[in-house]
Amino acid sequence: MDYPFIPYGGCPALGGNLMRAFVAAAVLISIILPAQAQEQLPLTSRPEQRVRGINRSIQQEERLRRIEQQNRFEQNQIQQRLDRQQTFSNPSSPRFRNCPAGSIC
């Protein structure tokens, strides 16, 4: 049985949708392949993973060290303020006055 020529690969036996099926398949493949390629990024080697882990540890230690230094700095400032307040406080306060025994100060 001879079929008349139908442009774009249409075949009456297949309902004339052969070209549409190829185009749809090509579109699906062009969408699926890049998505799979992105999911399957090359894995890093064990030594590189180790180096990255060490670097993360070093960075975390540096962050903790900076926090500790800031805390010490703030504690020292607070202590210095307290020391200054005690040094320059009112010397006539009852706690620091030397009164003879039996007298009312």
Side-chain angles (χ1 to χ4, degrees), residues 32-91:
I32 292 171
L33 287 181
Q36 285 181 343
Q38 288 177 357
E39 291 174 8
Q40 298 173 354
L41 295 175
L43 298 175
T44 56
S45 65
R46 287 185 187 261
E48 187 175 352
Q49 289 174 354
R50 231 177 285 128
V51 167
R52 287 183 181 179
I54 291 169
N55 287 340
R56 274 193 301 272
S57 296
I58 291 171
Q59 289 171 346
Q60 186 175 6
E61 288 175 8
E62 288 174 351
R63 280 192 297 268
L64 290 173
R65 190 174 301 116
R66 282 194 302 267
I67 291 169
E68 289 173 353
Q69 286 175 343
Q70 184 65 30
N71 286 341
R72 278 196 302 272
F73 176 77
E74 291 171 1
Q75 286 175 348
N76 286 339
Q77 281 189 325
I78 291 169
Q79 186 62 47
Q80 287 173 358
R81 275 191 225 130
L82 289 173
D83 290 345
R84 269 186 255 132
Q85 285 176 356
Q86 287 178 356
T87 302
F88 297 113
S89 67
N90 187 359

